Amino acid sequence: MADSQNFSGSAFGAAGFVTALPDTVRERLLAHGRTRCFAKGELIQQRGDPGREFWYILTGSVQIGRFSVDGELTLFALLGPGESFGEQAFLGEFPRLVDAIAGTETKLVQVGEKELEAAIASDPSVVRILLKAMAHMVQRGFDLVEAGRNLSTVDRVAQALLQHCNEGEYNVTITVTQQSLADLVGVSRVSLGKALDKIEDSGLISRRYGRIIVRDRGKLSRLLGD
């Protein structure tokens, strides 16, 4: 995941490039990174900060968005274990484009230039994987523009939920409030509620306090093709 919005449901696009690395390279990269813990609501990175590192999520959740001048957060993405973020600013050597906040108690691995250079030296395929990751980030940008023009609210909500279902086909629990999901999709709380009602009436999800359970990822994905 990166310094941008993310609705992609693909394993590569949603998780970031760290997950796509060969097992031995990924384990070495994370072992040499710095493990850091953040309390719920704590700021991890701020828009405008220099991109000297990127982050891999071990446990917990991270909210990606932008704070307005009055302190209100516009949510762009919700990330969980196995996903990474901050690669764009790090690789492009430009300031952070977004703020990142711990959505729950969160444990991250901070990876800097030294650790990445060692990973590249250990396996040349890392460079190719990095290039693929950047290509997927650009493609997601085009996908978002297209989605905003053509998809219904129900489809946009389904896309956002599918983003968090890479690890299982059935009964995937997504920890997210309905207000956060509304911010993520870019609709009002009322519009989100109506969309969730339709999806739940189809038996594809169940709502609980602070979380949504995706009953069948495959059927939810096919909903977008109907």
Side-chain angles (χ1 to χ4, degrees):
M1 223 41 39
D3 290 315
S4 63
Q5 296 184 21
N6 179 4
F7 292 141
S8 173
S10 68
F12 199 132
F17 89 94
V18 175
T19 299
L21 292 172
D23 290 344
T24 55
V25 177
R26 180 175 62 255
E27 291 168 2
R28 187 181 302 115
L29 179 70
L30 297 178
H32 287 86
R34 178 186 177 192
T35 301
R36 296 187 58 186
C37 296
F38 294 85
K40 180 180 179 180
E42 188 173 355
L43 188 66
I44 299 168
Q45 69 176 41
Q46 189 170 19
R47 183 183 180 190
D49 286 348
R52 297 193 180 99
E53 69 282 309
F54 64 95
W55 306 86
Y56 179 86
I57 305 172
L58 292 174
T59 62
S61 64
V62 174
Q63 299 174 333
I64 303 294
R66 286 181 181 173
F67 283 108
S68 63
V69 292
D70 59 3
E72 183 176 351
L73 178 67
T74 298
L75 193 63
F76 293 163
L78 296 166
L79 309 181
E83 296 184 293
S84 56
F85 61 96
E87 297 101 328
Q88 278 183 294
F90 171 72
L91 295 172
E93 297 183 345
F94 51 74
R96 300 290 187 194
L97 301 178
V98 294
D99 301 298
I101 305 94
T104 60
E105 289 188 4
T106 303
K107 181 183 290 187
L108 308 175
V109 177
Q110 182 181 16
V111 181
E113 185 172 352
K114 179 180 178 181
E115 291 80 20
L116 183 58
E117 287 181 350
I120 293 173
S122 71
D123 190 331
S125 69
V126 173
V127 174
R128 177 68 175 170
I129 292 169
L130 278 171
L131 292 174
K132 285 184 178 180
M134 294 299 102
H136 277 268
M137 290 174 187
V138 172
Q139 183 59 51
R140 282 203 303 272
F142 289 117
D143 290 344
L144 286 170
V145 173
E146 189 69 17
R149 290 176 177 173
N150 299 323
L151 294 184
S152 68
T153 300
V154 170
D155 287 342
R156 289 159 65 190
V157 171
Q159 272 197 336
L161 294 175
L162 285 169
Q163 168 192 341
H164 300 275
C165 297
N166 292 324
E167 295 184 359
E169 288 287 334
Y170 303 99
N171 297 323
V172 180
T173 298
I174 302 171
T175 302
V176 60
T177 66
Q178 292 191 33
Q179 184 61 60
S180 293
L181 187 58
D183 292 340
L184 174 62
V185 177
V187 298
S188 69
R189 176 73 180 273
V190 173
S191 295
L192 176 77
K194 292 179 179 178
L196 288 175
D197 286 342
K198 291 182 179 180
I199 299 173
E200 189 167 30
D201 288 345
S202 299
L204 301 179
I205 65 170
S206 297
R207 282 176 282 185
R208 302 289 187 271
Y209 181 76
R211 65 188 191 277
I212 295 174
I213 301 170
V214 177
R215 294 299 183 189
D216 189 323
R217 184 195 186 282
K219 289 183 179 179
L220 182 60
S221 180
R222 288 193 289 275
L223 176 68
L224 294 172
D226 290 343

